[in-house]
Amino acid sequence: MLSYPLLDVRVSTPVLELRGATDELLDQLAPVVHAGKMNAEPSPYDDPISFHETDPDIRVVKWLRSIWRGRGNVDADRWRLYFVVVVDGEPVGMQDVVGASFSTFGTVTSFSWLSVDHRGRGLGKEMRQAILQLAFEGLGAKEATSDAFVDNQASNAISRGLGYAPDGFDRATRRGEPALLNRWRLSRETWEQHRRTDIELHNVDACRAYLPLS
Ligand SMILES: CC(C)(COP(=O)(O)OP(=O)(O)OC[C@H]1O[C@@H](n2cnc3c(N)ncnc32)[C@H](O)[C@@H]1OP(=O)(O)O)[C@@H](O)C(=O)NCCC(=O)NCCS
């Protein structure tokens, strides 16, 4: 068992595992970030984000620092759990869940990316379903939200396909340029209609003990 129990939380599906993003796993994933394989065109990421850094060495350093900062900021207003997506023993991306005033609203949002080498074969949808299982079953969430630029076809298709309802638009910049985001919202009731029975949660008690959930 790790001395920081939140890093022991895992979600497993028949094809992938979300593992708490330990430094060891982040080290294994760093070459993907170094090679720029987390990117897509047009950029799916709003500003500011370490992924927009063009120098690969500095990009990895900024990426790690952003995760370390996020891990350390755990309060009622905002917390974030970072998971590395592991397929057949190989780290291929990340899937995070964020609670914003969770104890008041019960709302989570999610953020994810996959190495370009592993996209387009259902893993993105699978990892979103895994994190929703953690949020609704493990953490007792009431709803989940997601944002994606209107031209991010994969992310929008995942939200639509999992029953999220359109919830208007937002604006953000990416690489300094303004762009439109779709907002999506999934209620607990709708998730229950789509919920999977083959996704397992491990060591979730750590979330109840160490996150401000109520
Ligand atoms: C978003 C991301 C994680 C999705 O993962 P993925 O493995 O490529 O997606 P999947 O294979 O599970 O496909 C999910 C859906 O998107 C559709 N899709 C995937 N790529 C697509 C594309 N390039 N164009 C149109 N539709 C696409 C699939 O057909 C599928 O739709 P369906 O469920 O209706 O059949 C991945 O594309 C990625 O890392 N993108 C860059 C980072 C990013 O956009 N992160 C999200 C920020 S909001």
Side-chain angles (χ1 to χ4, degrees):
M1 181 171 147
L2 295 167
S3 49
Y4 190 71
L6 288 169
L7 290 174
D8 267 333
V9 178
R10 283 185 297 123
V11 186
S12 45
T13 85
V15 295
L16 60 77
E17 191 160 64
L18 306 183
R19 293 191 195 153
T22 61
D23 284 354
E24 192 184 355
L25 281 169
L26 293 173
D27 257 349
Q28 292 171 29
L29 193 56
V32 176
V33 175
H34 193 269
K37 290 184 173 182
M38 69 296 150
N39 246 325
E41 281 304 329
S43 178
Y45 307 117
D46 58 358
D47 298 324
I49 190 167
S50 53
F51 291 159
H52 288 164
E53 170 60 51
T54 50
D55 181 308
D57 294 333
I58 297 175
R59 182 163 62 237
V60 169
V61 166
K62 285 186 172 174
W63 169 66
L64 288 170
R65 283 180 182 156
S66 73
I67 294 170
W68 293 332
R69 265 197 305 276
R71 272 187 201 155
N73 286 330
V74 177
D75 53 47
D77 286 352
R78 192 176 170 87
W79 47 261
R80 178 168 179 161
L81 295 181
Y82 297 80
F83 294 93
V84 172
V85 182
V86 179
V87 177
D88 296 330
E90 184 190 353
V92 296
M94 292 195 74
Q95 174 70 66
D96 305 343
V97 61
V98 181
S101 299
F102 184 89
S103 55
T104 310
F105 301 116
T107 305
V108 294
T109 191
S110 58
F111 172 81
S112 66
W113 62 268
L114 268 179
S115 164
V116 70
D117 297 340
H118 295 272
R119 289 181 198 159
R121 51 188 176 96
L123 292 174
K125 185 174 182 184
E126 183 87 3
M127 59 208 230
R128 180 84 71 87
Q129 288 175 302
I131 208 71
L132 289 174
Q133 195 85 13
L134 175 66
F136 285 112
E137 185 183 314
L139 310 182
K142 296 188 177 121
E143 64 172 8
T145 63
S146 180
D147 289 351
F149 285 116
V150 293
D151 52 18
N152 188 338
Q153 303 207 36
S155 180
N156 286 308
I158 291 170
S159 297
R160 194 179 299 111
L162 293 180
Y164 288 66
D167 185 35
F169 297 94
D170 225 329
R171 289 177 200 283
T173 60
R174 48 180 169 185
R175 296 192 167 117
E177 294 298 320
L180 208 56
L181 287 156
N182 282 327
R183 291 174 19 171
W184 297 94
R185 192 170 288 272
L186 176 67
S187 67
R188 186 176 184 92
E189 292 69 30
T190 307
W191 170 77
E192 277 167 357
Q193 291 158 22
H194 292 248
R195 68 175 293 171
R196 300 255 305 257
T197 54
D198 57 352
I199 298 179
E200 291 178 10
L201 307 179
H202 310 270
N203 304 324
V204 175
D205 285 352
C207 299
R208 298 188 196 106
Y210 301 109
L211 288 178
L213 297 181
S214 56

